[in-house]
Amino acid sequence: MSDLVFLLPELVLAGTALVLILIARHVSRAQAVAVSVVVAAMAAIFSGWAFTPEAPEAPAAMTVVFGGTIAADGYARFFKVLFAATLALAALLSVKHVDTERVPPAEYYALLLLASTGMMLAASAADLLILYLGLELMILCAYVLVGITVNRPIANEAAIKYFLLGSFASALLLYGIALVYGVTGATDFAAIASAVSERNLTRHPFMLAGLALMAGGLAFKIAAVPFHAWAPDVYQGASAPVAAFLAAGSKAAGLAALVRVCLAAFAPEQRIWSEMLAGLAVLSMIVGSLLAISQTNMKRLLAYSSIAHVGYALLGLVTGTPDGASATITYAFIYSFMTLGAFGVVIALGERGEDLLAYRGLAATAPVTAALMFLFLLSLTGIPPTAGFVAKFAVILSAVRGGHVVLAVVAVMCSVVSAFFYLRVAVMMYMMEPQGAAPARVPGAVAAALAVAAFVTIVGGILPDTFTAWTVPPSLGKTPTEITRALTR
Amino acid sequence: MVTLVTTFPILTVMTFLPLAGAAVILLLGDRMARWFALTTTLVVCAVSVPLYLGFDKSSSALQFVETVPWIRSWNVVYGMGVDGISLPFIFLSTVISVLCVGASWTAVQVRVREFYAALLVAETAMIGLFASTNLFLFYVFWEVMLVPVFLLIGVWGGPSRIYASIKFLLFTLAGSVLMLVGLIALLEATGTLDFETLAKTRLSSDLQAWLFVAFTAAFGVKVPMFPVHTWLPDAHTEAPTAGSVILAGILLKMGGYGLLRIALPILPDAVQLFAKPMLVLSAIAIVYGAYVTLAQTDVKRLIAYSSISHMGFVTLGIFTLNRSGVEGAILQMINHGIVTGALFLCVGMIYERTHTRDIAEYGGLSTLAPVYSTFLAIFCLAAAGFPGLNSFVGEFLIISGAFKTWLWLGVAAVWGVALGTTYMLWLYYRVVMGDARPQFQGLRLDLNAREVATLVPLALLALVIGFYPELVLGFLRASVGQLLTAAGSGVMAGPL
């Protein structure tokens, strides 16, 4: 019974979502937003309260509850707080969109809540099946959210694309899980790791196939090249707040799952998945940066940028060390806020926010909005003293520490390319003549969300120590060195 | 008095005062913005005075040190301090900032608040960079500097300002991201980024060589060294006057300062290894830059190209690795900041009136604008290395250092000086001498009191340093001695 405490955030979110659906006809948009934000705050507080803090330098043996299926560690807590924050910001950013596109508010916010529940579940899963359930709950809600504006054909098209490709990727993931279960007889992370090391299954062909299939399925969730093709179409087709929610939340959830699976379940196979992830990282950085150059739609540009950023984030995990994992989740955390901020500006500008050319002269007509966009763009480029620089520093440091200097050089070179397309927006905003009338007033809720994102982007850059205590790597049944030692013996 | 100086965080105040000023300016009106920016930059100058009075010239140690723990997870501290090498650059930064505000008084008429805010953010980055005592903080200010300069060029620049600003940004960013990898590799290898600790650590030769490549990529672009100099003519030409002055006066020096602060003390083996190629590139920059300068028809572009040649002297001096070369290089960086800054100011002042930068359209300014012609004469002669003016001393020291290293380097440098005299005096001849142009007859070409006040400090500095170079060299001596011991001087000798 006391185990339930550790699922309080998920229970609160899911319960509220169900209630919202039941009384949907009586809920106004304002009420739905308020409920979502309050519930997100409650979830964050519960996560902070339920999980006892542990010393980050010594991740103890995994604290598991519910018969070893749910991990109750600092890692899960970190992501639950992050997803609660993503949910709150996405809820605030959605107000305008729900009003103008006549989306049923209760259902929309219930889906946001349920998707966040899935993300939290995925981040705290200690069992492949729970992981799969969490990710599926998230992505099923995401399919609906993308297509929820029924009268926009482009949104429907995006939802169908997302659904078809996503189902295929989920099948890959499930097939991988099945193969791993077939070889090891376990779905529990710790049991898989010990089975592999004790029975020396590291090079078992089905094990490798299972690993590759699972990596493919998870790479789809985080939109890493070559599993990225859905992202630009879906981000463009979905309304901007949904795209923001996907870019920040679902990407972080995918990374959370990937990091934990790699470190906890597949620690003995570290050399293999490191190489696979290095390939994904390099491809994502290069393809994402190069394809973003020619985009003329802001949401597509941010989609390609998100592909490039997942490449940077993976640099930490490639090293296979807990330190590297910390760097990756630091990146996920910071990226969530800066991309929510950038999408937030797109939302604040309304319809014209999607067209790159509409940013011309924005600094003259809407100086504060332009300055915020400039801040988020600098952070996405990785220019100090913004949080994006701290994130980039952390992953490159761990890459160099792991001996992957070439990866580090590729990463910084891609960041120069990315500077070109990010700062082209700045050039339009600051160096060109204004087009058309000044944009409409920004709704208070959107302004509040932008302020939070800007705050994190600045404070995270100036005082990175404020959150490094939280970015603990996932706790493990055994440390990788112990497992390697067991293997060599 | 001394205790006051050591406890008051003078460097931090100097660094962040302009930033605070920038924040305030964004809330003010345009007219107030000018006065507020002037006040801020003057206050920074005033605050800096105890720095020069309280500085112990006989010591090579860092002075006015401030240390606060910053990012524990990476063992990074917030460290500020000055030694004899950084002090002159801080002085130059504060003075140039005041003059930039003065020079933009009437020239900038659009988005005035944003202009002065950008200028002040740039001042924060400049002072902060020269006062940093660790590589992390240095890098942060290095990158922060890009943003205001990018905006200064791109928003308030000439016709092809957007092209120039993007080119500037991409070139410098491409260099500096390699420095980021180098910085991280250094942190990984030694566990610290503190300049003094790093200088005491002996790194393996291989690592030093790789780090040298990474850091020189960043510094070489900023200096700029041949062959990565091509961003400079565009950026200098398109930038507004204040932007050109900051670029020529301070930004280029960041590269040379980086070589002195990081390459020489921390990577001495690699410096010995790469000194010869760097010397050759410097000599090419001097001679090639001078010939390209001769061919220019646009005043501003001509001065921009002359910077390439002049900065070639600086890198030449640094890589001779002997006392006169390095001291000359530092002095020459200060001189170049004063003289080229002043020349850009002169060009800007006359351009505001005539709206042309084509040399062919000028002539006979001596009768129409005698005060202007006098100032231009001083600065053209200074740039040409005329004895009694500041650049003569710097070039003399560098050339004597070059001859000690390698005869042909000295020859190339002397050749560069001869060409320099040619292009400066020829420029002066074409602009000032001859008959007055009829199209300028009705214009009030001569300088007003504000403009004279902007140029006088620089002219005085050129004269004073020319007659009494000890004023700058005195600060340098102890620190350069320390630097050359660290870099193991005297190993390079004899012909190639």
Side-chain angles (χ1 to χ4, degrees), chain A residues 276-286 310-312 314-315 318 407:
Chain A
M276 280 198 289
L277 293 180
L280 289 177
V282 168
L283 282 175
S284 302
M285 289 187 292
I286 295 177
V310 90
Y312 300 123
L314 285 176
L315 287 182
V318 163
L407 279 184

Side-chain angles (χ1 to χ4, degrees), chain A residues 375 378-393 457-458 461-462, chain B residues 70 121 125 135-148 173 176-177 180 183:
Chain A
L375 171 73
L378 287 177
S379 185
L380 287 166
T381 316
I383 305 244
T386 58
F389 168 68
V390 169
K392 209 152 270 178
F393 192 94
T457 307
I458 294 171
I462 295 172
Chain B
W70 185 16
V121 173
L135 191 47
F136 190 88
L137 203 57
F138 178 91
Y139 182 80
V140 168
F141 285 119
W142 178 278
E143 292 283 70
V144 167
M145 183 72 190
L146 288 184
V147 179
L173 206 57
S176 61
V177 294
L180 176 63
L183 179 163

